[in-house]
Each structure stands twice: as structure tokens, then as C-alpha cells.
Amino acid sequence: MTAERVFDLSTHTVRELNQALHDVAGGTPSRFKVVNAMGDHALAVGIDAAVQVEIHGHVGYYCAGMNKHAVVTVHGNAATGLAENIMSGCVRVKGNASQSAAATGRGGLVVIEGDASARCGISMKGVDIVVHGSVGHMSAFMAQKGRLVVCGDAGAALGDSIYEAELYVRGKLADLGADCEEKEMTAEHRASLGILLREAAVDLDPGEFRRFGSARRLYHFNIDHADAY
Amino acid sequence: MHGKPPGLIESALFDRDVIHEIQRAATEGIYDIRGWGAKRRLPHFDDLVFLGASMSRYPLEGYRERCDTNVTLGTRYAKKPIELKIPITVAGMSFGSLSAQAKEALGRGATAVGTSTTTGDGGMTPEERQSSKTLVYQLLPSRYGMNPDDLRKADAIEIVLGQGAKPGGGGMLLGQKISPRVAAMRDLPPNIDQRSACRHPDWTGPDDLEIKIRELREITDWEKPIYIKVGASRTYYDTMLAVKSGADVIVVDGMQGGTAATQTVFIEHVGIPTLAAVRQAVEALTELDMHRKVQLIVSGGIRTGADVAKALAMGADAVSIGVAALIALGDNSPALDEQYKAIGSGAGYYDDWQAGNDPAGITTQNDELAARLDPVLGGRRLANYLRTLTMETQIIARACGKSHVHNLEPEDLAALTVEAAAMAGVPIAGTSWIPGRPF
């Protein structure tokens, strides 16, 4: 059993925490516990190792930004830009997340057990995002790759200007953004969604979700679609 | 009586160029998109002259007495500031808009003379990292290809808020240039028109940006200088806010700055000339007592050593070139005139860099065309050009009695037009009058 290192942010600096996380040798399993997070920004960013990080308290902007390999759990709420540009690993928030959660994420899994605010998954590029609650407006804006799963409701303009990402919504949908349309939910989609829900520890039937994706009408400029731009 | 008969009087408002554009838009149903920067005549460095030394100041001997050109960028917070041998850098241009050969040539040329190149909207290629000794990695709104490994490999990070050709606008790469490799780097399907965002996805103002910069510094252990690049518009306030946000270096790109693909209406009608932007940026830095502490890089229409010297005299720490670097590689070469004509242009006019069919092999992803550019020869040409710019800058600095190009100052300049005097904040030649300022 690897010893757990504890960082109390009432006595340690964010710099000390992040440097310790960056100094973990590749492949060495390590556990970190962070207490008194107190809304500090840029906690546990730029990790490139298979470490486990448990953060107790609310976190500020960009927690677990650009994460690789690590499993980061926030026992609290998260401010703007949670797990922005995540590459791999898993970031889980027990509470709610503010806007731009998992923005531009390129891989890995982000789980928000509460609600996520506006622009969840903006410009996502391969990350899987599972939100137990609801998401705000303009979520999955310009989403390129990956999956956004909303177990609650989705706000206005979901998937505006979407590319090839897949969106799943279980609750009410305010409306869809430009070039986003409902897609057929096949058995294959239900099966892969079921696997993702289990990874995110969500006990729901994939059959309760609707699927959305790109209508691909804006992939090439057409003057007759000018009102959609 | 002389003059044109009534039937041959051209409208000043609707001249033949305007008529052509209206009829082209009516036929094609799309605005004109092109590369390059503003092409119309604007107040520029040409409207300034240097006051060479004579009785009151003595000059330095050309080719004999030292006139240093080195510059250090990122001294405010970065543990590892960048040391350049010359104050002329190569601006951000993406792999995607440029061929891999062109990117390699830029890296070779810049490295040969001890200066930096910059990535672009599309990420960092291994070839680029290998060919550029000093490489600035751009963090753009699209975040195409963004990853922490490349952040750590970079020598500096440039947060791009905008560019001079289109302040307030996002990027654009048309489908014909989205090759499989470009598409993979950007996580996009091949061959589609790609629209880059105009705003960053995870911050919206200077307060957020300050926190974003802190995140980037934490990820890279506070080693890398962090630049903020803005397109010139409200440059005074943008500079103030960039300093407040924690930038090490500010890059100001005037409206003459180049683009790979932007609407002509945007290029020609949004933003302010470089000349005005330099003065505003320097004023803001000076008021904050941050001039020379936060370094200023100026771009947009730098062509000669005279342009470099004038930008430095106005207070810039370095300049950046884009269009001129491509021309040095061979863009718009008269030797290719027939091939430019075959695609509806001509040497000296070609600006369809968005189209991907560049006969010079520079602004293309077509393998056959790209192979025409020899990166070694291209690198040599760029190095020749950069050395020429540097020597021209030194010639002027020595003539003004300066032992370092950074010792050039506004007092060494005079303006030839009222507009340039007002924008640059230097007096009309032969007077002590600066428009808008008390005598």
C-alpha cells in the first residue's frame, strides 16, 4: 500500500502541491490527499502520472487542468474550467461544476455528480463527460469528438455548431443549437452508453436517453444556409 | 477642352474595383476570402524619418563600433526567459495554413540567426520543434492540438486573443487544406471547412485571464515566459489589462499583419494601423512603469530594417514578421508569374493563401506543390533576409549614435505627415509640433 501524502492548503502553497504532483516518477503509484482547498485555483494541474488525488473542499478555476493518467476526485464544488483540456485519466466532482467544465478535453472521463453550468464540454475533442444532473446553455458548443451524457436536463442551444461529438440527454431539452439534430438511438449506441454509465457509476437505463449529433449542413459554406451562421 | 466625354466618367464611389466586387458577390454568393494583411494605403513607418547624428550627437562608425542587437523576453516572472540574438522574431503561422516544408524552413532560418518561431492554430509538429531552437507555442481559442507535453516542450507560451488582420475574429481553414494529417492534429473530419472560435472557451475577461495564466505557469512550473497577443484596436487598454493579467510579454499586431484566410472586409476595415498601436502600447506600459519590464513585440507590416528601427525607436523591444518571412521563402516570386496567372493572379498580387494551390509550395497541403519548397534553401533565404534586416537596423542605430538598437528613442524620429505625427506621437519634421499635444 502506497503511503498517502497530505497537503493542507492552509499551510502548503498551490505551487508546492503541483510541484509534488509533477515530481512523481512515471509509473509509480501514489496517493495524495488535499485538505482545506478553500476555492484555490489551478489545483492538481498538469499531472502526468497515474496518481490518485482526493481534494476535500471546494476548488477554484481549472482544477485538474490538462490531466494525464491521474484520478482526481473533488469532494465539493468546482469553479470554471474543471479538467480543461483533459488528456486521459478521470476527474470526478461530487458537487456541482461551474461553466466550461471539461472544455476542449481530448480524452479521459469527467464525471460531475451534481449539475454543470453553461458551456459544459465546449470544443470537446475526445473526452467523455457524464453529468448526473443538468447542464446549462451552449453546452457542447463546437464539440468535435467524444461524448457528453446529461442525465438531467439540457439548457438552450445544445450542441451549437457541433462537429462529430455524440450527445445524450435523458431529461428535458430546452432547444438545439445550429446544425445539431436528433439521431437514431441504435442498439449499438445503447450498449456503448451503458458501458460509459457504469464507468461513471450511474445506475440508469441507456434506453431512457435521446441521442443528438451533427446534421453536417455547415461543414461547407453554402449561401443558402446563411441564416444558420 | 480636355477631359473624358460624359459617357466615360468613372464614379469615385463605385469605381471598377467596387463594381467587380459587387458583381462577383452576386455571382458567387460568398464574401471574398484571402490571405495577406491590409492592402490599402495606411499611415505607416514610411511616414517617419530618423534624425541622424550631426553636431549635437555623434554617430558610431559603421562596421567598426559595436551596436548590439540582443533581446531578452520574459524577465517579469518566467524562470527561463528567452534570449534572442536579434530583435526580429517569426510570427505564428500554423501547420495547416503552411506546408510542413515551409514551417521547417522558417525554423531553420530563424535558428540560424538566433531568433524564435511561433506555432499557430493547429498545434506543434515534431518537425517544427526539431527545426526551431527557440519555439513559442500558441494557446488559441480553438485549442487545436493543445496538450501539456507540447506546453512543456515549448520555450514560451503565447496566449492569442486576436490578430491584426481580424481583431475580434476567429480563424478559418477551408476544406481543401484540411488534409488527413491536419485533420488528425485538430480532431476534425478531413476536407471540411474549419471555423476556429473567436473567444477562449474557458475564460472571458482579464480577471479570468489572470487565473488562466496562473494555471499555465503551474502546469509548466513557472519556467516559460507567457506572451499575450492582441490584434490592434483598443491597444492602450488591452496593454494595460494584459499587464494586469500577468503577462511577461505583450505582442501587438497591427492591421497590416497577415492572415492565412480572412474575409477581405474584415482585413481592410477592422483594427488600427501598427503605427498607432505601438505608441498606445508604449504609453500604457510607461504609465504603469512596466516599459522594458514587460517586453513589447510589434508586428504588422515590418519589411525593412528601417521598419524595425522605427518600431524599436518608438519603444518596442522586438518586432515580428509573417508576410515578409513568406516572401523571403519565395512567395510571390516573379519566377512563378506564369503559374500565378494560371490560377487567376500574378507575381506580386497572389494572396489566395486560403486556396491551397500555392505554386511556391508554401501555403498548401498538396504534397506535390509542397515538395517544390526546399526547406534547407528556404531556411537559408530567410536567414539571409533576417541578417539583412538586422544590419539595416544597425546602420540606422549607429547613424543615430546608438551602441544598442534598443537605445533608439522617439526623439530620434520625425514625421512626414500630420497623420503619422499624431499616431506615432512624434513631431512633424522641422517642427516641434505633435498634433493633439500642447506646444
Side-chain angles (χ1 to χ4, degrees), chain A residues 82-95:
Chain A
L82 169 78
E84 66 88 16
N85 214 84
I86 179 174
M87 304 295 293
S88 62
C90 178
V91 176
R92 178 181 290 270
V93 173
K94 294 290 187 180

Side-chain angles (χ1 to χ4, degrees), chain B residues 223-347:
Chain B
E223 289 182 349
K224 321 287 183 189
I226 294 191
Y227 301 8
I228 292 179
K229 177 177 179 177
V230 294
S233 56
R234 298 174 181 86
T235 308
Y236 173 83
Y237 296 106
D238 286 346
T239 303
M240 286 261 181
L241 292 170
V243 171
K244 183 262 178 197
S245 299
D248 293 304
V249 176
I250 296 169
V251 183
V252 174
D253 190 23
M255 70 181 289
Q256 298 97 322
T259 172
T262 300
Q263 301 90 340
T264 294
V265 71
F266 211 146
I267 297 173
E268 299 286 2
H269 298 282
V270 183
I272 63 172
T274 305
L275 194 63
V278 184
R279 195 209 79 245
Q280 287 197 329
V282 173
E283 277 182 3
L285 289 169
T286 304
E287 284 182 30
L288 294 170
D289 192 26
M290 296 303 273
H291 189 217
R292 306 295 188 202
K293 298 172 187 168
V294 169
Q295 286 79 39
L296 174 66
I297 301 177
V298 168
S299 56
I302 301 293
R303 305 150 298 169
T304 66
D307 292 340
V308 178
K310 290 168 186 174
L312 298 183
M314 289 180 64
D317 294 278
V319 300
S320 203
I321 59 169
V323 171
L326 301 189
I327 292 171
L329 296 187
D331 175 73
N332 270 291
S333 167
L336 299 170
D337 190 45
E338 288 304 316
Q339 293 175 62
Y340 286 127
K341 283 178 176 163
I343 53 175
S345 185

Side-chain angles (χ1 to χ4, degrees), chain A residues 15 18-19 22 41 46 61-62 65 68 84-85 87 100 106 125 142 144-145 163 219-221 223, chain B residues 29-30 142 144-147 149 152 186-187 191 193 195 201-203 208 212 215 218 221-222:
Chain A
R15 181 82 285 273
N18 285 327
Q19 192 65 60
H22 297 173
H41 303 303
Y61 282 41
Y62 311 125
K68 285 181 77 178
E84 66 88 16
N85 214 84
M87 304 295 293
S100 303
R106 301 186 65 194
K125 296 170 169 54
M142 296 182 87
Q144 296 173 217
K145 275 167 59 177
Y163 291 100
Y219 276 12
H220 295 94
F221 184 84
I223 192 66
Chain B
I30 187 170
S142 72
Y144 291 138
M146 173 51 56
N147 71 79
D149 301 331
R152 294 187 186 99
R186 299 178 185 221
D187 297 298
N191 305 316
D193 291 347
R195 295 154 286 147
D202 55 355
W203 61 269
D208 286 1
K212 184 70 194 173
E215 183 210 9
E218 284 293 327
D221 296 330
W222 290 73

